Amino acid sequence: MAIPRQHRVQRLNVNGRKMKKYSLVLIALLLVLGAGCTDSAGSRLLLLSQSLPEELPAGAGPDTVPVTTAFNQTLSVFWGFTIEGPYAANPGWNSAALDPEPAVIYDVNGAPLYYEFYLINNGIAPGFFWTVADKRLGHGVFRIFESPPPRNRSLLMSEAELVVEEQFPGYPVHAKTTVLYSDPRTGTMFTIQNKTSGSEETFVIDDYTHEIIPFPSPPGYKGPVVAQSVLDWIPETDFADRRMQWQVQDSNSSRIVDYALARGIDPRTPLSGQTASILKQYYQEKSPGTEAGESVSSGKREVSPVTDELINGNVVPAGTARDHALVKLWHIVTDRPEGYADRSWRNASMSTKEPAVIEDFEGRRLYYIFGVERDGVPVSDIIVTANKGLYTHRFGLETAHSEYDLVNATRVARETAAHDYPGSIVRSVRPVYSLRDNCCHNVTVMLEIDDPATREVHRILVDTYTLSVSSGTAIPGNETDAYPSIFSEVTPEDFADNCERWENEDKKVKNLTGFAERSGISRERPLTSPEVITLGTYIFQTETTIFPELFDPVYPAPGPRPTLAPSTLAWHERANWFSGFYVDAAMSDADIDKIVCDYVSSGYQLKIYPAYVPSGDYGYCLDIPNADYNGTFSLIKEDGGVYNYNINSNWDFVRDAKQRNGRIIIPLAIASPHEANIMRLSAKGVNLIPMKRVYINYPVTAEDKAEQEKILVSIDADDRVLFAYKGY
């Protein structure tokens, strides 16, 4: 069949421009749609849905969590926090119901990432939840927001549409969706058609700054933030453990919901005194994850109430936290290939400056922010926990430098104090974090001043992301209620579990820093190339999860190869798939486009992924003379630093090995830490060639699949192409 001839290479020539203030058109739109967060879920009504939504959202894959399953997980957390947890005294919560129809937040790669579930109470949303939509994330409920959503999703998208109309007037919009493009930043991803070139361009408009972020980032992009996939940053070797973690949490929530349903509780209605009493009995009888009658503290560790004494007794010293940050830096340097744009931290080292300390409003330490520098110039920050009991509550392990703009926020706070409270005395200035503003960026600079005239203490708060200012009189003893600490959402079981996990992580940190010291590797300067290999090899041998065993696609072992599960095969049969292929990374995007033009007449979308991206994908290939193949294959198998997949549910190669002109070519994935393993194999004489990955997407009906497959086989036979595959 003929496929129309308009196509595009997905590149964007926009350098993260700041947007102007909106015109009266936006004001009129806001007046029509209504202000505030009353329609928190978008265009939906503010009543509970009378029936559950469809099981799977658009873009679902084999790891997508059904909506009803995610609803049950959210419901169990909502009940726990409302009946016996920190929000039991919050009238907005204890008389609310959970709407079973969420908004869907997508990954930039198109996969459903989080469901945003809303509480509904008399037409408003007093709180909301981010519940994972993909089992590979490993959580159940990822984030809990006690306050209303800061903005309405439909309004955010409408504002983004106005930005597109202003900046790209008359450009047809082909696609738009809500995405988490750089955690915790969300935005609307657009695909528009350029009126001049006819090509399509994809970018994200930030929900709050309305900045334009190109996707994928073009070469030389210098914007303040890069749009990147959350799922691609998770090592594929972690997927199995994360799926298991998700399964445990799902099992826990299922028990609670089944218990409630068996006793006639309607999960879509607010809790009454009677139903709350029934569920409270469940929590008293059986803790999630235990059988009835089993004591929570009957395990190996003692569980104690989360008191101030317990919190203060588990503060992490700054020196110890610095070692944890240093080890994080070493993992990044040994894992990220040097060519990985500005996210590579080669030749970077820890700053010698003291870390910033983020506290709660009561002055308890939560996190340290350590700087990373290259030649004395700040390049990034690393955030580590300042309390063992918060180990799994870290809101970011690394950020672009000054993402939390403490310097300018402090400046704004001091300027506000001088202007609004002349003659007052500054009591303290410190970065703080509370659950009150648990959305977007959560760190605030708080400046407290004494007013000699009134003898009152005034408090100025400046958001480190937006630099927005609020101020008021500090009320002694009001911190806990007005600005709840993150400690308030940590249960005794969570605190004990976090402490245990931190201790286990601390052992790894001590092992790695001890090995580095014995190997003569300095903590104060950047790693040299030999040190990257030495340190990375130690990490690979002692910490890396087992990767799939390398199998030989040219001379496979006797016997049939394994096959996919029947359910996966059925899914493949129904699904529309991408045509994809790999080429040598040295090939230009223009030459890649010429390849596609030779086989697809029109109407396609071309997405080219750069080389060196350590996403667990086939990023490299072995291209070697036939005579050297067996010896080299034995060497890389013994080394263990590369792997491949005998079968895989996400893609299917036309051919997973090729023989051309007396040479054998096979695709390979690099185990973590990527950079160290590549450098070590190169030192052994193994020449691994980086590859670019290309997606071709065009509208396909069920009748077109045979033609699409015929085209893919032709592309695979092209000598310019290394490997072609179906991507699911």
Side-chain angles (χ1 to χ4, degrees):
M1 60 169 287
I3 302 175
R5 173 112 183 129
Q6 296 172 348
H7 64 276
R8 52 110 167 166
V9 177
Q10 190 166 314
R11 291 282 186 250
L12 184 67
N13 297 318
V14 179
N15 286 325
R17 291 170 288 182
K18 286 282 186 182
M19 305 311 306
K20 302 174 183 177
K21 294 294 182 181
Y22 297 117
S23 62
L24 293 176
V25 177
L26 175 57
I27 298 174
L29 178 65
L30 295 176
L31 291 174
V32 171
L33 294 179
C37 304
T38 53
D39 181 7
S40 306
S43 59
R44 298 181 290 107
L45 295 175
L46 291 177
L47 301 175
L48 277 175
S49 304
Q50 296 304 307
S51 61
L52 291 178
E54 292 295 325
E55 278 287 300
L56 294 172
D63 283 300
T64 301
V65 178
V67 175
T68 50
T69 301
F71 173 73
N72 287 345
Q73 292 176 337
T74 313
L75 189 66
S76 66
V77 172
F78 164 52
W79 284 344
F81 271 63
T82 305
I83 293 171
E84 289 194 320
Y87 305 155
N90 185 329
W93 278 57
N94 58 32
S95 58
L98 185 67
D99 190 336
E101 184 176 351
V104 183
I105 300 173
Y106 285 83
D107 194 22
V108 292
N109 68 11
L113 201 62
Y114 295 107
Y115 297 117
E116 193 167 81
F117 283 98
Y118 304 89
L119 294 178
I120 302 297
N121 189 340
N122 293 323
I124 65 171
F128 61 107
F129 303 81
W130 276 14
T131 303
V132 302
D134 194 296
K135 300 174 186 177
R136 291 171 293 179
L137 292 170
H139 317 281
V141 175
F142 177 55
R143 283 179 181 155
I144 303 171
F145 303 84
E146 189 184 7
S147 54
R151 297 297 300 276
N152 173 313
R153 286 271 171 224
S154 63
L155 291 181
L156 291 171
M157 186 170 287
S158 297
E159 291 177 1
E161 289 171 346
L162 290 178
V163 174
V164 173
E165 291 174 9
E166 179 183 344
Q167 296 295 312
F168 309 101
Y171 283 53
V173 176
H174 290 181
K176 59 184 177 183
T177 188
T178 298
V179 295
L180 180 69
Y181 72 91
S182 180
D183 192 22
R185 291 174 165 140
T186 58
T188 302
M189 175 174 277
F190 288 88
T191 297
I192 64 173
Q193 184 173 4
N194 190 306
K195 291 192 302 183
T196 303
S197 66
S199 64
E200 287 187 344
E201 298 174 347
T202 297
F203 53 87
V204 176
I205 295 180
D206 185 275
D207 277 341
Y208 299 96
T209 66
H210 300 111
E211 194 166 25
I212 295 178
I213 300 95
F215 180 78
S217 300
Y221 174 65
K222 300 297 184 182
V225 67
V226 176
Q228 53 192 344
S229 165
V230 173
L231 292 171
D232 283 355
W233 276 99
I234 302 174
E236 192 158 340
T237 51
D238 290 355
F239 286 168
D241 288 342
R242 287 170 176 264
R243 290 185 182 107
M244 186 177 299
Q245 179 188 1
W246 179 90
Q247 190 64 49
V248 169
Q249 297 189 35
D250 182 56
S251 177
N252 292 340
S253 63
S254 297
R255 290 193 185 100
I256 302 170
V257 175
D258 289 346
Y259 180 93
L261 294 175
R263 286 153 181 80
I265 297 176
D266 186 346
R268 296 171 298 172
T269 59
L271 291 173
S272 65
Q274 180 181 2
T275 55
S277 177
I278 292 172
L279 289 172
K280 184 175 293 187
Q281 184 177 357
Y282 172 88
Y283 289 108
Q284 291 172 348
E285 291 178 354
K286 181 169 59 176
S287 175
T290 66
E291 296 302 322
E294 180 183 350
S295 170
V296 176
S297 60
S298 61
K300 296 181 180 180
R301 63 171 181 263
E302 180 181 353
V303 176
S304 303
V306 183
T307 61
D308 286 342
E309 182 180 3
L310 183 67
I311 292 171
N312 294 334
N314 283 282
V315 172
V316 179
T320 303
R322 180 182 176 83
D323 282 351
H324 282 240
L326 175 65
V327 164
K328 174 63 180 176
L329 172 62
W330 282 347
H331 276 81
I332 292 170
V333 172
T334 58
D335 190 53
R336 288 183 181 165
E338 189 170 3
Y340 195 56
D342 60 331
R343 301 302 290 173
S344 171
W345 290 357
R346 287 296 301 274
N347 301 318
S349 60
M350 296 289 293
S351 171
T352 57
K353 298 177 181 177
E354 291 297 313
V357 182
I358 301 174
E359 302 176 345
D360 63 11
F361 275 71
E362 297 177 64
R364 296 175 297 197
R365 292 189 170 194
L366 303 176
Y367 306 101
Y368 296 106
I369 302 180
F370 290 92
V372 177
E373 299 178 346
R374 182 185 291 116
D375 297 327
V377 178
V379 295
S380 189
D381 295 318
I382 296 179
I383 302 175
V384 295
T385 184
N387 193 290
K388 301 174 187 178
L390 297 179
Y391 179 71
T392 59
H393 290 264
R394 297 165 295 177
F395 52 90
L397 279 176
E398 55 174 288
T399 70
H401 174 64
S402 295
E403 183 167 318
Y404 301 102
D405 195 350
L406 301 176
V407 173
N408 280 317
T410 301
R411 174 185 57 78
V412 170
R414 292 187 180 277
E415 290 174 353
T416 303
H419 181 272
D420 294 353
Y421 304 99
S424 296
I425 301 170
V426 176
R427 172 185 285 191
S428 65
V429 185
R430 57 192 175 97
V432 293
Y433 171 89
S434 84
L435 299 178
R436 177 177 178 178
D437 301 314
N438 195 1
C439 62
C440 197
H441 282 53
N442 312 105
V443 179
T444 300
V445 165
M446 181 175 72
L447 183 146
E448 290 185 320
I449 55 176
D450 291 321
D451 188 338
T454 63
R455 297 186 179 180
E456 291 180 328
V457 176
H458 298 287
R459 178 176 287 160
I460 298 171
L461 304 176
V462 182
D463 186 280
T464 60
Y465 181 47
T466 64
L467 299 183
S468 59
V469 181
S470 62
S471 60
T473 303
I475 302 174
N478 191 41
E479 282 80 4
T480 301
D481 295 331
Y483 303 98
S485 171
I486 195 172
F487 286 113
S488 67
E489 71 172 9
V490 182
T491 66
E493 292 78 17
D494 283 343
F495 196 96
D497 182 62
N498 287 337
C499 289
E500 184 176 308
R501 293 187 183 201
W502 185 92
E503 294 291 352
N504 291 334
E505 183 67 21
D506 190 53
K507 292 177 183 177
K508 294 180 181 179
V509 169
K510 290 177 179 177
N511 286 340
L512 187 57
T513 54
F515 171 80
E517 185 174 352
R518 295 191 299 273
S519 303
I521 297 175
S522 171
R523 297 165 177 250
E524 308 303 327
R525 57 171 175 75
L527 296 176
T528 64
S529 292
E531 288 171 345
V532 169
I533 297 175
T534 299
L535 208 56
T537 300
Y538 180 83
I539 294 171
F540 174 64
Q541 293 173 343
T542 60
E543 298 183 16
T544 304
T545 307
I546 300 299
F547 286 85
E549 183 179 359
L550 185 68
F551 84 98
D552 191 338
V554 181
Y555 305 109
R561 286 178 63 167
T563 59
L564 296 170
S567 59
T568 303
L569 292 173
W571 168 56
H572 282 189
E573 186 67 26
R574 295 192 308 269
N576 288 332
W577 39 270
F578 285 103
S579 296
F581 61 91
Y582 290 92
V583 296
D584 191 307
M587 183 177 292
S588 69
D589 290 356
D591 287 339
I592 293 172
D593 192 40
K594 290 177 183 177
I595 294 175
V596 181
C597 287
D598 289 344
Y599 298 98
V600 183
S601 58
S602 67
Y604 62 85
Q605 300 174 350
L606 187 60
K607 184 181 290 185
I608 302 171
Y609 290 84
Y612 307 108
V613 179
S615 60
D617 189 13
Y618 285 104
Y620 292 77
C621 71
L622 180 68
D623 184 349
I624 196 165
N626 290 358
D628 298 333
Y629 176 77
N630 287 334
T632 303
F633 189 88
S634 297
L635 187 155
I636 61 175
K637 186 168 185 177
E638 181 181 1
D639 178 271
V642 297
Y643 63 97
N644 52 15
Y645 299 93
N646 212 327
I647 56 172
N648 191 285
S649 62
N650 294 323
W651 60 78
D652 183 16
F653 280 107
V654 175
R655 291 179 293 171
D656 56 4
K658 290 186 176 181
Q659 298 192 43
R660 291 177 179 167
N661 303 319
R663 302 180 71 84
I664 292 176
I665 311 171
I666 61 172
L668 294 171
I670 308 298
S672 298
H674 299 79
E675 175 76 340
N677 285 336
I678 293 168
M679 294 173 66
R680 184 181 64 254
L681 287 167
S682 177
K684 293 180 178 181
V686 178
N687 182 29
L688 297 176
I689 300 174
M691 302 188 295
K692 284 183 180 177
R693 177 164 55 100
V694 183
Y695 270 158
I696 317 169
N697 187 26
Y698 42 83
V700 177
T701 65
E703 294 76 18
D704 299 334
K705 285 188 176 180
E707 179 68 16
Q708 184 186 12
E709 189 152 7
K710 185 185 299 183
I711 292 172
L712 188 64
V713 170
S714 298
I715 291 174
D716 184 71
D718 193 308
D719 285 346
R720 295 169 294 179
V721 172
L722 294 171
F723 307 97
Y725 67 94
K726 298 177 183 177
Y728 295 93

